[in-house]
Amino acid sequence: MVFIGIPQVEPERWLQTPPVNNIEFFDDDSLNDKGWFPVSTLGGIAVSPFVNNLYWNFNNFDQASHYSTSVPKKTLARGMLISVALVSTAYLLPILIATGGTDISQDDWRAGSLAIAATKIAGRWLGNWIVLSSGISLLGSFFAEISADTMQVMGMADRAQIPSIFSHRSPHETPTYAILLSMVVIMCLLPLDFGLIVELANFSYCLSITFEFVAFAKIRIFNGDNSLIRKAFYFVIITFPMLFNVLVIALASYATYIYGAVMVVFGFLFVNAHSIGTNCRRLARRSKNRKSEVIEETKDFANESHVDSSENREFIL
């Protein structure tokens, strides 16, 4: 599509913006929820779904660290650089060709519009090819995502950060219960609208990446032995992502804030499940022992009372 569409591109189409009084709703189902800035616009474009879609397309880059112990450092660094270039190119070039090489208005851009643009550029065969390749790409993205998530869960279980049951491996060395946990989470998200799923995923990712940046700052800036210039460089490179995280969180809906609070509580309980269970068992043993002590004291008191009453009767007689 890129090579065939290059001669048809009209660059002035890239600079077109919607009328100021007309809001463009990309994944407009996410705008039905109320928040601090529910219908904020910039040049006629709804900011919340635009920022969430932009952020969602480039998140989860940190999951490469889950494989850091399985490959050499040079291979990991080279792979991350190449993947950033490939992902950026794979997003940018088709969008530039589709928007600059077709006359599809901004109001008509919906899910499946890229296949329509490919059909207009080269014919129906290319549109069908885009649909087929998109389906295969989605499957690949799903398997890559669930693999990285389950590896993370298994690694946390190996480090005793979560219940050890999630470190169980099948005969094929795959994390069985970690995969089941990921599938349960996915099944819970299926009934939701796509725009809301994007917002929830971004909110969760903002929280996780913020903790990673804080850990990085603590290790490299506050507790590191690097020079002042290097520490200043580290501070600069994490400042912009942190500000962008704040923007994404500020644009979220109230329902997403409730979801975030629930997920934080669930995560705290999940991570501390072992210690909480240990403390509960310890308290249960203490309660049981205390109950036994109370019963023994009651029996002793009853026996003493019986002896005293017998002595009193003998005294009276």
Side-chain angles (χ1 to χ4, degrees):
M1 186 181 75
V2 172
F3 288 109
I4 297 175
I6 288 178
Q8 306 177 34
V9 171
E10 298 180 11
E12 61 272 11
R13 290 175 176 170
W14 296 335
L15 304 178
Q16 292 179 357
T17 58
V20 177
N21 296 326
N22 182 27
I23 301 176
E24 295 293 338
F25 297 114
F26 304 102
D27 292 322
D28 56 327
D29 53 341
S30 63
L31 295 178
N32 296 327
D33 300 320
K34 295 181 179 180
W36 288 348
F37 309 101
V39 289
S40 301
T41 61
L42 181 63
I45 299 175
V47 176
S48 179
F50 176 76
V51 171
N52 274 289
N53 278 285
L54 181 64
Y55 192 85
W56 179 72
N57 284 325
F58 286 94
N59 63 19
N60 289 331
F61 66 90
D62 60 317
Q63 291 195 350
S65 62
H66 302 166
Y67 305 95
S68 59
T69 58
S70 303
V71 295
K73 292 183 178 180
K74 290 185 178 180
T75 303
L76 179 64
R78 190 183 303 114
M80 292 185 67
L81 290 175
I82 295 175
S83 63
V84 169
L86 287 176
V87 171
S88 301
T89 304
Y91 275 118
L92 187 60
L93 290 183
I95 292 297
L96 290 176
I97 298 300
T99 55
T102 64
D103 56 355
I104 301 176
S105 63
Q106 296 189 15
D107 289 333
D108 295 330
W109 276 96
R110 294 291 185 272
S113 295
L114 195 61
I116 298 175
T119 302
K120 289 189 175 184
I121 291 173
R124 190 173 183 84
W125 69 271
L126 185 58
N128 294 334
W129 179 260
I130 292 294
V131 173
L132 177 62
S133 60
S134 298
I136 297 174
S137 176
L138 287 174
L139 287 175
S141 299
F142 172 77
F143 289 128
E145 178 73 20
I146 197 171
S147 298
D149 291 341
T150 53
M151 289 291 288
Q152 181 183 22
V153 172
M154 184 180 67
M156 294 176 67
D158 290 339
R159 292 175 175 269
Q161 295 176 341
I162 58 176
S164 59
I165 187 174
F166 295 103
S167 64
H168 178 269
R169 293 168 173 79
S170 69
H172 304 286
E173 293 298 321
T174 54
T176 306
Y177 296 108
I179 293 176
L180 291 177
L181 177 64
S182 298
M183 293 300 298
V184 169
V185 174
I186 292 173
M187 295 297 293
C188 293
L189 295 176
L190 282 179
L192 302 180
D193 294 326
F194 177 73
L196 184 57
I197 292 176
V198 170
E199 188 174 299
L200 296 178
N202 286 344
F203 192 89
S204 301
Y205 188 69
C206 280
L207 294 179
S208 65
I209 201 67
T210 298
F211 284 118
E212 291 181 19
F213 284 144
V214 171
F216 176 83
K218 182 178 180 181
I219 295 173
R220 294 294 185 181
I221 299 177
F222 297 107
N223 297 337
D225 55 354
N226 299 303
S227 64
L228 182 61
I229 297 178
R230 185 178 291 272
K231 290 183 178 181
F233 173 73
Y234 288 151
F235 177 80
V236 170
I237 63 175
I238 68 174
T239 298
F240 177 75
M242 289 289 288
L243 293 176
F244 200 79
N245 287 345
V246 172
L247 175 62
V248 173
I249 293 175
L251 292 173
S253 62
Y254 296 139
T256 303
Y257 293 139
I258 297 174
Y259 160 83
V262 172
M263 289 304 297
V264 168
V265 174
F266 173 78
F268 176 81
L269 295 176
F270 186 67
V271 171
N272 295 279
H274 179 72
S275 60
I276 293 175
T278 301
N279 292 331
C280 289
R281 288 191 295 270
R282 186 180 296 117
L283 289 175
R285 287 196 298 268
R286 289 180 180 178
S287 177
K288 184 178 180 180
N289 294 335
R290 180 57 183 167
K291 184 177 180 180
S292 301
E293 292 176 359
V294 171
I295 293 175
E296 292 296 329
E297 292 177 356
T298 303
K299 289 181 179 180
D300 293 340
F301 179 77
N303 293 332
E304 292 177 358
S305 299
H306 180 71
V307 172
D308 292 341
S309 60
S310 300
E311 292 178 353
N312 290 335
R313 284 197 299 270
E314 291 177 358
F315 178 76
I316 293 173
L317 292 175

